[in-house]
Amino acid sequence: MAKILIIEDEKNLARFVELELQHENYEVVVENNGRTGLEDALKEDFSAILLDLMLPDLNGLEIARRIRQVKTTPIIMMTARDSVIDRVSGLDHGADDYIVKPFAIEELLARLRAVLRRVKIEKDAHRGSGANQQKILHFKDLTIETANRIVHRGDGKAIDLTKREYNLLTTLIANKNNVVSREQLLSKIWGPESNIETNVVEVYVRYLRNKIDLPGRPSYIKTVRGTGYMVRDEDDVQ
Ligand code: CA
């Protein structure tokens, strides 16, 4: 049975979601404050965590960040705000999806099923292929060790990428010399069922460029206007 942790300080909302999840046969643990929620999340293995963004003692972004340092438990952020920046910062701190309050319970249940399904697919894929198989990818002066997800430059300097930045880079390199559309990147990196807007991809490409590009040199990632992005062996202009 899937076990879900709800971290939410609005007690009525927490109780409502708890009852609905129990009705769907989930096992549920509720915490009404951030610190005990974080303790539970680190101590026990949950199938997924529903995490409120605005908590009085320890905010949701900080909780997500601390969980992510040690665990891959899927996190759905529940947020009362609705700006792209908040969504991006939530996702960048390690949340897998977000839902904007007030939400319909059916939508929450659908998101939850989607993250649980995604985790199962990833687990199955790892079992099938041998998760620790090392592959070395090269692109220009970048070297990528896939087993430990380390990216470094020819000079040996490691480049610290988040999981999504890493996935974005390796997806582009896997399709080297071909354009990858924003929709393909969204589907591949955020999952086919996420309903995140494509401008989030632009934000992440910007993060990635800031980390891998060299000052005064053309970007490693070409923008193909109106379509998407690509990496190429040769720059158009030398
Ligand atoms: Ca709250």
Side-chain angles (χ1 to χ4, degrees):
M1 195 199 301
K3 190 169 163 190
I4 312 298
L5 173 63
I6 302 172
I7 307 175
E8 167 64 75
D9 64 313
E10 289 167 51
K11 290 189 176 155
N12 290 338
L13 177 62
R15 179 73 182 139
F16 168 68
V17 174
E18 179 186 19
L19 290 173
E20 292 289 336
L21 291 182
Q22 284 170 344
H23 183 70
E24 300 287 324
N25 290 322
Y26 292 103
E27 190 181 328
V28 186
V29 173
V30 176
E31 288 291 355
N32 295 124
N33 74 74
R35 287 192 190 280
T36 51
L38 176 62
E39 276 169 27
D40 283 5
L42 297 178
K43 197 170 59 198
E44 286 183 59
D45 284 328
F46 290 94
S47 312
I49 299 169
L50 304 178
L51 175 60
D52 183 26
L53 177 65
M54 302 292 281
L55 291 158
D57 56 339
L58 190 62
N59 79 55
L61 293 180
E62 181 61 17
I63 294 173
R65 196 183 64 77
R66 292 208 208 162
I67 293 171
R68 260 313 154 265
Q69 288 174 339
V70 284
K71 287 195 169 189
T72 57
T73 316
I75 299 171
I76 300 178
M77 196 78 94
M78 301 186 289
T79 165
R81 304 191 207 150
D82 192 17
S83 75
V84 170
I85 284 305
D86 280 333
R87 293 174 190 203
V88 169
S89 65
L91 296 169
D92 200 37
H93 280 70
D96 295 79
D97 201 354
Y98 60 84
I99 189 161
V100 177
K101 293 182 201 170
F103 49 78
I105 193 70
E106 292 76 16
E107 190 186 353
L108 178 66
L109 292 171
R111 297 287 180 85
L112 185 58
R113 283 193 297 269
V115 295
L116 294 174
R117 203 153 45 225
R118 202 146 70 220
V119 169
K120 186 177 179 307
I121 290 167
E122 279 172 15
K123 265 192 198 147
D124 291 350
H126 279 291
R127 255 201 299 279
S129 64
N132 291 321
Q133 219 177 351
Q134 173 78 284
K135 261 204 307 189
I136 308 281
L137 304 175
H138 293 283
F139 177 66
K140 297 196 172 169
D141 64 342
L142 301 178
T143 303
I144 297 146
E145 299 169 19
T146 60
N148 40 18
R149 296 175 157 252
I150 289 177
V151 179
H152 50 90
R153 225 180 267 293
D155 55 15
K157 202 170 146 203
I159 302 173
D160 187 21
L161 300 181
T162 64
K163 186 175 159 205
R164 285 204 167 84
E165 290 161 353
Y166 174 89
N167 288 342
L168 182 57
L169 178 64
T170 51
T171 301
L172 289 169
I173 292 175
N175 294 282
K176 196 161 66 176
N177 301 320
N178 291 300
V179 182
V180 187
S181 71
R182 282 184 287 265
E183 289 75 16
Q184 286 170 322
L185 289 169
L186 261 189
S187 165
K188 175 94 183 142
I189 296 161
W190 281 267
E193 288 163 84
S194 76
N195 66 342
I196 294 161
E197 291 84 352
T198 51
N199 55 3
V200 170
V201 176
E202 287 156 37
V203 173
Y204 272 82
V205 167
R206 196 162 65 232
Y207 289 163
L208 182 57
R209 279 175 171 153
N210 284 340
K211 290 186 178 176
I212 64 173
D213 286 352
L214 293 166
R217 303 274 294 277
S219 176
Y220 288 79
I221 303 167
K222 306 271 171 219
T223 302
V224 183
R225 195 174 297 180
T227 313
Y229 300 94
M230 73 187 292
V231 297
R232 305 172 53 131
D233 280 322
E234 298 304 324
D235 292 327
D236 297 324
V237 188
Q238 290 297 322

